[in-house]
Amino acid sequence: EDQVTQSPEALRLQEGESSSLNCSYTVSGLRGLFWYRQDPGKGPEFLFTLYSAGEEKEKERLKATLTKKESFLHITAPKPEDSATYLCAVSRGNTPLVFGKGTRLSVIA
Amino acid sequence: KAGVTQTPRYLIKTRGQQVTLSCSPISGHRSVSWYQQTPGQGLQFLFEYFSETQRNKGNFPGRFSGRQFSNSRSEMNVSTLELGDSALYLCASSLRVAGVYNEQFFGPGTRLTVL
């Protein structure tokens, strides 16, 4: 059974304090790993897709990386508006996405 | 390009009633997936429709059903509501090229409260 574990469950950072969120996965034949951002009461917003180990993608202060067992979402010099829950999901291609429970990030000014 | 839309945004129902939720995908997307999100369980897959056919189904009771129309719009129905059905119901659309699940784009969700 495909599994996704995200850590930590919650993270509190000072503005400008860089950190990383972790997404560990157990899936046979990974076809894609997806990162989403979700604000309270809203639907998840798509951020990145990673397809193979070694791949990296960046968007503003966010950088996602992928290894054979986990993915990291690095947040550089975060701002209060980066506060949200970050979700990770995996797919084997022909099966529905399996989501982790997310990391709730709070950035304090 | 317009995003995924869901209606209604909020619903309050009582136990035993039934409810129908609607989702309009991004233009050109033929795959629509439905998820239930609760604080304890996170995002759980309900089912997916592609070209008016259910392609995959999650581990939910038969009270949860859906359908898709020829214009790719989808509806989800929950019958005989239970208190535990209170959740945020999310719809996501994707291109689903060659049967592959690629990135999905979510709507704002419908917040269902069962009293």
Side-chain angles (χ1 to χ4, degrees):
Chain A
E1 184 182 332
D2 300 340
Q3 287 192 331
V4 178
T5 303
Q6 293 189 245
S7 61
E9 287 186 20
L11 181 62
R12 187 181 172 99
L13 299 174
Q14 290 295 125
E15 185 174 2
E17 180 186 2
S18 301
S19 188
S20 295
L21 312 182
N22 178 265
C23 171
S24 298
Y25 61 89
T26 304
V27 58
S28 177
L30 179 75
R31 290 290 297 272
L33 185 142
F34 310 91
W35 281 99
Y36 289 85
R37 167 196 169 124
Q38 186 175 23
D39 293 303
K42 297 187 177 181
E45 174 191 347
F46 171 73
L47 293 173
F48 305 109
T49 306
L50 300 168
Y51 293 103
S52 57
E55 189 174 1
E56 298 182 351
K57 287 195 176 171
E58 288 188 64
K59 180 180 180 179
E60 296 180 0
R61 295 177 292 282
L62 300 177
K63 179 180 176 181
T65 62
L66 181 64
T67 72
K68 289 187 177 180
K69 293 184 178 181
E70 56 193 348
S71 176
F72 293 94
L73 185 65
H74 307 276
I75 304 177
T76 303
K79 298 181 178 182
E81 53 262 42
D82 295 322
S83 297
T85 295
Y86 290 85
L87 298 166
C88 167
V90 298
S91 173
R92 276 191 271 138
N94 60 349
T95 55
L97 271 60
V98 175
F99 282 82
K101 294 194 174 181
T103 293
R104 190 171 62 254
L105 174 67
S106 299
V107 182
I108 311 302
Chain B
K1 206 174 199 182
V4 178
T5 59
Q6 291 186 246
T7 56
R9 293 295 312 280
Y10 303 93
L11 267 178
I12 299 176
K13 293 286 186 179
T14 56
R15 280 179 297 174
Q17 287 187 307
Q18 76 164 23
V19 66
T20 299
L21 313 181
S22 181
C23 171
S24 292
I26 292 171
S27 178
H29 286 190
R30 294 164 63 192
S31 169
V32 174
S33 296
W34 288 90
Y35 295 86
Q36 181 194 68
Q37 187 175 36
T38 58
Q41 298 298 318
L43 265 165
Q44 292 191 293
F45 174 77
L46 281 157
F47 31 66
E48 185 230 357
Y49 286 86
F50 182 85
S51 294
E52 302 178 63
T53 301
Q54 187 179 93
R55 302 291 177 161
N56 276 292
K57 190 177 191 309
N59 189 25
F60 278 82
R63 300 186 295 107
F64 292 81
S65 63
R67 59 177 175 168
Q68 187 179 34
F69 303 95
S70 58
N71 62 357
S72 294
R73 190 176 71 84
S74 177
E75 288 183 347
M76 187 191 107
N77 185 77
V78 188
S79 62
T80 319
L81 284 166
E82 301 177 0
L83 294 178
D85 296 333
S86 294
L88 181 66
Y89 289 89
L90 292 160
C91 161
S93 77
S94 68
L95 285 171
R96 189 79 149 90
V97 176
V100 174
Y101 280 87
N102 42 24
E103 50 267 9
Q104 297 183 341
F105 298 89
F106 285 83
T110 294
R111 171 72 63 186
L112 173 64
T113 301
V114 182
L115 302 176

